[in-house]
Amino acid sequence: MSGRIVAVLGATGAVGAEILKILEERNFPVSELRLLGSRPGRSLKWKGKDYPVDVASPDSFDGIDIVLSAVEGDISRALSPEAAKRGAVVIDNSSAFRMEADVPLVIPEINSEDIALHKGIIANPNCSTIIALMALAPLHREFGITRLIASTYQAVSGAGAAGLSELEGQVRSFARGESMQASVFPYQIAFNLIPRIDSFNTDNFYTKEELKMQNESRKILHAPNLMVSCTCVRVPVLRSHSEALTIETERPVTPEAAREILSKAQGVRVVDEPLSERYPMPIETSDQDLVFVGRIRKDLSNNGNGLVLWACGDQVRKGAATNAVQIAEELI
């Protein structure tokens, strides 16, 4: 496999740093690496060598083969088309292009064939969507999911390094008997839950994060009629999102059949031994790439065509950085 000239856009952020780590872990064939950010004067180490972080501009993408983008949507909207114009393929972690009709939205284990449809930009799905569909896509292929009810329990690192710092700072303040200050989140997150992630859609009062689960799942699964209702909750967990998923299927499904299918699914680990207190938890799924699935049981409110399960995965790795690098691997 010949080497590629790779740029990491947003290299100094949490996801950008994880992308660099995963490129090294997976021995991605990089012949030349360029790091791009918003401020000059920084450098980062990769494979023992220091690389300067250059200020990103349209001309930064001349000669680049692959851009792994980990910036906010407005920045990506400005720069990703410029990179594509210059012949690069952009793998974008933001929400900027996910629902564009001519931009593939890809989880490689599920719809890698869509990569071939790209016109210079490939979108990485939302982290919660990735974790849910890693658990659900194998079941959808076998039983045909028609309805999904999802509740997500999302770690503070989903809000970036500032979210981590806020939770850690509030816990320290609590231990000292001091008042806890909130700035990243609208309320204290330590010892609390906040049932709102992203802004509300005033038409139906679902949040943008919740609607991503519906819209992205339909696109990735090629299931435009899939019915989805989602509630997203920020929880005082450092890393790894957890999700309670209730599905309704076209064909009858049993917990035993679901376990058998998921035990063979790429990128999934079944952890489902309730009598031994074994089930997926953030503390076990962080800093690795598998999505753990457990608590697989019948939906008692549905006669034969319903299932309930619990999924947990590292949203910084498989939910963002690893998925992007996997797309790049499939691309080449």
Side-chain angles (χ1 to χ4, degrees):
M1 191 183 295
S2 59
R4 299 297 196 276
I5 302 173
V6 176
V8 179
L9 176 61
T12 59
V15 175
E18 203 75 21
I19 285 172
L20 289 170
K21 178 180 174 184
I22 290 162
L23 286 170
E24 183 169 358
E25 283 181 7
R26 297 175 73 93
N27 198 28
F28 189 85
V30 177
S31 62
E32 183 180 336
L33 180 67
R34 300 183 194 172
L35 305 185
L36 303 172
S38 58
R39 299 194 310 272
R42 295 193 62 178
S43 66
L44 295 173
K45 195 175 289 292
W46 189 71
K47 288 192 172 183
K49 179 181 174 183
D50 287 321
Y51 289 82
V53 180
D54 297 322
V55 176
S57 71
D59 293 339
S60 302
F61 304 105
D62 289 338
I64 298 292
D65 296 316
I66 296 172
V67 179
L68 294 162
S69 174
V71 294
E72 296 296 325
D74 56 343
I75 301 173
S76 183
R77 277 210 173 273
L79 292 176
S80 292
E82 294 293 336
K85 273 186 208 173
R86 288 160 170 78
V89 179
V90 181
I91 301 168
D92 181 39
N93 274 278
S94 81
S95 61
F97 301 97
R98 288 176 187 158
M99 300 315 298
E100 298 286 337
D102 61 350
V103 175
L105 182 65
V106 175
I107 303 172
E109 293 90 342
I110 298 170
N111 65 327
S112 61
E113 66 278 3
D114 289 352
I115 292 172
L117 304 175
H118 80 82
K119 296 180 180 178
I121 300 173
I122 302 167
N124 215 31
N126 187 45
C127 51
S128 295
T129 305
I130 291 174
I131 291 165
L133 292 192
M134 286 295 292
L136 297 182
L139 303 179
H140 178 64
R141 285 192 286 267
E142 185 70 24
F143 304 107
I145 297 173
T146 58
R147 186 179 184 215
L148 164 64
I149 300 173
S151 296
T152 72
Y153 305 84
Q154 298 185 212
V156 294
S157 52
L164 281 168
S165 296
E166 183 148 299
L167 174 58
E168 291 168 342
Q170 288 176 359
V171 171
R172 285 193 292 269
S173 295
F174 177 83
R176 293 192 295 260
E178 300 169 355
S179 64
M180 289 177 272
Q181 304 301 312
S183 59
V184 177
F185 304 112
Y187 297 96
Q188 167 193 324
I189 186 59
F191 317 108
N192 190 27
L193 305 176
I194 302 174
R196 192 277 285 171
I197 298 175
D198 213 328
S199 59
F200 285 103
N201 181 319
T202 54
D203 291 337
N204 54 27
F205 290 98
Y206 281 76
T207 67
K208 289 182 179 179
E209 184 82 358
E210 291 160 351
L211 293 173
K212 288 172 187 175
M213 182 71 79
Q214 170 189 274
N215 299 332
E216 295 180 17
S217 295
R218 288 174 173 176
K219 184 172 181 177
I220 294 163
L221 296 177
H222 302 285
N225 297 319
L226 177 66
M227 296 185 293
V228 179
S229 180
C230 182
T231 301
C232 292
V233 184
R234 187 72 69 193
V235 298
V237 169
L238 293 175
R239 187 154 167 162
S240 271
H241 291 352
S242 302
E243 304 182 12
L245 306 168
T246 299
I247 59 172
E248 186 173 310
T249 58
E250 294 175 0
R251 296 174 288 281
V253 57
T254 65
E256 293 76 19
R259 287 189 198 97
E260 177 69 17
I261 288 166
L262 290 170
S263 69
K264 298 174 183 175
Q266 184 183 1
V268 171
R269 175 178 294 169
V270 175
V271 181
D272 193 19
E273 301 172 25
L275 297 182
S276 302
E277 301 293 347
R278 295 289 295 132
Y279 26 70
M281 295 182 292
I283 201 167
E284 293 186 338
T285 55
S286 295
D287 297 308
Q288 56 84 55
D289 293 322
L290 296 175
V291 171
F292 288 20
V293 185
R295 298 297 321 279
I296 303 168
R297 59 205 189 276
K298 291 178 66 173
D299 176 5
L300 297 180
S301 68
N302 187 307
N303 237 353
N305 287 39
L307 203 68
V308 181
L309 46 89
W310 175 259
C312 196
D314 188 319
Q315 89 286 354
V316 183
R317 286 185 63 103
K318 180 53 187 170
T322 300
N323 199 75
V325 175
Q326 286 177 298
I327 293 171
E329 291 171 343
E330 292 286 338
L331 186 67
I332 64 173

